[in-house]
Amino acid sequence: PVLARAWGSGAVALGEWPASYEAQLRAGVIGNPVAQRAMRLVSEGAGACVLKVGGVDGAAAARVGALVARASAGQGLIETLASHVLLHGNGYVQVIAGADGMPAELFALRPERVSVEADARGWPAAYLYRVGESVTRLSPEDGAGRTSLLHIRALHPLDDHYGLGCVGAAAGAVAIHNAATVWNKALLDNAARPSGAMVYAPGDGSVLSPEQFERVRREMEAAFSGAANAGRPMLLEGGLDWRAMSLSPAEMDFVGLKAAAAREIALAFGVPPMLMGLPGDNSYANYREANKALWRQTILPLVGKIGAGLAQGLQGWWPGLSLVPDLDAVPALSDERAALWERVAGADFLSAEEKKAMLGI
């Protein structure tokens, strides 16, 4: 049977746990400052990372370097792919050939619009690109047997065709963080009127008349509700008593809950919480160590995966091509690289070629 499956899309109502990719993006990246900043730290860092072109001659290296560095529809290729692989777990790159048959542009397709069409044995045979009611069938290879659509995916232990992104893992923490934000906003708008009950107990068993009840309600709304009336003490008439019916925000520890959710969001994106300015996390001695961990554990592995996928797809035109991150061009690793250069330069038992190989030159 033919397999045609893609990530879902749709909106989500307030208070619900977002389940589809589009809803998770709207709630977790577009509407959440912590997740958006974490995504930008990773994707913009990946876009600023320099890729070294190897395995080809100088002219070919220059052409491949310009091809990879070129902005596709106004977006940097590596930065766009990094955000796709990070969030969705999949990155799709369409190779557009020029008049000479050589690649002229690499265009990153939105991953939620692409689905894999497998053959009877379960191997990917084509890719379906959906935009509204329009469906385009894209072949992974052109007529000459060279790659026309690259698929770069993160590891997914339970799926043969799609990668696993981080936005789903962060959905729970995002829902908590957004709910705490909504709660705090509502508390600010309603600061002087917490949940509770106005009790009328005069002692003789009488009740308020409809006119008295309406007057008390109007006075409560006019004089004690809203942020402008925050902190105003209540002046109650005889027989009226106010009884709180809910825990205070301090008792429910909303501040701590929101901070913990923010740290979980940063964890899902692979960003040290210290770089996000989040309280309660001192795992690193200073910002330099945290920034180094971000590059070593998140950005460089992601850029390495993208570079390896692009190089493999372009080897039909440039056999032996390799694209690897240039560690000497990463400011966060400058002290490590300087120490490595010093150690290698002082190793008299190594030849000049062996030293170049150890330094990645």
Side-chain angles (χ1 to χ4, degrees), residues 130-144:
R130 292 180 172 86
V131 181
E133 299 296 329
S134 175
V135 180
T136 304
R137 191 175 187 271
L138 303 174
S139 176
E141 295 183 351
D142 59 12

Side-chain angles (χ1 to χ4, degrees), residues 1-7 114-119 126-130 135 137 161-162:
V2 175
L3 175 65
R5 179 173 58 83
W7 285 71
V114 181
S115 59
V116 177
E117 183 183 84
D119 57 19
Y127 296 90
L128 302 180
Y129 184 72
R130 292 180 172 86
V135 180
R137 191 175 187 271
H161 301 287
Y162 299 95

